[in-house]
Every structure is written in structure tokens, then in C-alpha cells.
Amino acid sequence: EIVMTQSPATLSVSPGERATLSCTASQSVSTKLAWYQQKPGQAPRLLIYGASTTATGIPARFSGSGSGTEFTLTISSLQSEDIAVYYCQQYTTWLRTFGQGTKVEIK
Amino acid sequence: EVQLLESGGGLVQPGGSLRLSCAVSGFTFSSHTMGWVRQAPGKGLEWVSAISGSGGDTSYPDSVKGRFTSSRDNSKSTLYLQLNSLRAEDTAIYYCAKAPMGNYYFDYWGQGTLVTVSS
């Protein structure tokens, strides 16, 4: 099983500042990496797939990068509506696994 | 518009069974792999099953293998998850999710159905 580790567990960022979230895979997943946003009381929403491709309707301030085992989700200018938990997921095989999540809060 | 609507959750005793359903619309159901993802109270996401468009291929993590079974009725555009031998740690919101053609991430999710395992 591929283990996905996210850091930090909680990230406090001031409005308008950059937020950088990390995701590390226990073995290479190439670019088979997705990011999801989950707001309180809501279902997850796809943000990024293929490590760097933004999903339909996602604001341009969200971007993804990385390959192999190290990945980053960047929110270029944090807005109040971006307060959520963010999960990475590898999908290199049918045995998909998620990271434990990073909670983004307003400083 | 893609829509996924789960049902069938509820309170069940340990060792009991439950069948979840997910009715979908807005896309060609039989062309897409579907999955179930759960979230225990206050915890993260855990993938629990996937099933190919034809229903001929399924996969599960070790935590539910042998207890959970995913199936689908393409004529009814409905996905199912049979939960057997339920344990307290299976208590969670269960989401059904759609995968894009040829890929294994999930691009659309339902709102979830709550399963509570307790005596």
C-alpha cells in the first residue's frame, strides 16, 4: 500500500497571503496525484488532478506541482472561502489512498 | 448536470448488515468506474471500494475486504455497497464518487449517507 503523508497538519495563513501544502508518497506515483478540498459539512471537491491540472471551475489561485514522491498545493492569495481541509490522493493503482489532510485556517 | 444521491444509511448493531445505494444522473453511468469513500466522525477520507463500468472488476482495501461488496445495476444507473459484519469502526459518512473515463481519481461526489454501528 502506498502511504501518503501531508504536512503540516494545520496551516494558519493571513488573508491575501500564500498557502503552501505538502504531500509525500511512500513510493513514486509519477503524476497520479489529486487534491481535494472539503469544507465543513460538505462533500469533498476535486481541485487538481494529474498533479498540476486544475479541475473545471476551480479558481486560478489554486495550483499544484510535483512528481514522483513530492507534491505541493499552492493557494496564491488566501481568501476566506478557502478555509477547509485539503486532502491529497494517489491513484497510480486501483488501491487508491488519501493523505490525512491539512486544515487551512485564517490567521 | 452530474448528480449522485446516496441512501440506505442508518443505525445498525455490531455484526449486522446494511446496503447502501447511490443513484446517479447526468452522465453515461456504464462508462465510468465508481467508488465509495468513507469518513469517520472528525477523521479523514478513506477509500473503501471501486468498481469498473461493467462491474466485472472490483477492489477494496484490506480494512473492508471480505466484508464489503460493491455492485452496480447499469440499467438503473445505481451503485450499491453491501456492508456485512459491521464493526463500530465502520461508523462513518459513506460517499459515492465518480471517476473520469480511464482514470482513478474522483471528479464528482455525492453528499454522503451516515452509517452508525452501535448497540
Side-chain angles (χ1 to χ4, degrees), chain A residues 1-4 26-27 90 93 95-98, chain B residues 61-63:
Chain A
E1 175 186 315
I2 299 175
V3 177
M4 308 302 292
S26 61
Q27 65 189 73
Q90 68 80 20
T93 70
L95 300 178
R96 306 148 177 84
T97 46
F98 290 91
Chain B
D62 288 345
S63 59

Side-chain angles (χ1 to χ4, degrees), chain B residues 80-111:
Chain B
Y80 303 101
L81 185 67
Q82 179 68 40
L83 290 65
N84 295 332
S85 303
L86 283 163
R87 308 165 180 167
E89 55 263 36
D90 295 319
T91 294
I93 296 173
Y94 285 73
Y95 296 100
C96 71
K98 166 190 167 291
M101 288 178 65
N103 255 306
Y104 298 148
Y105 60 90
F106 298 118
D107 56 357
Y108 289 92
W109 298 62
Q111 285 304 302

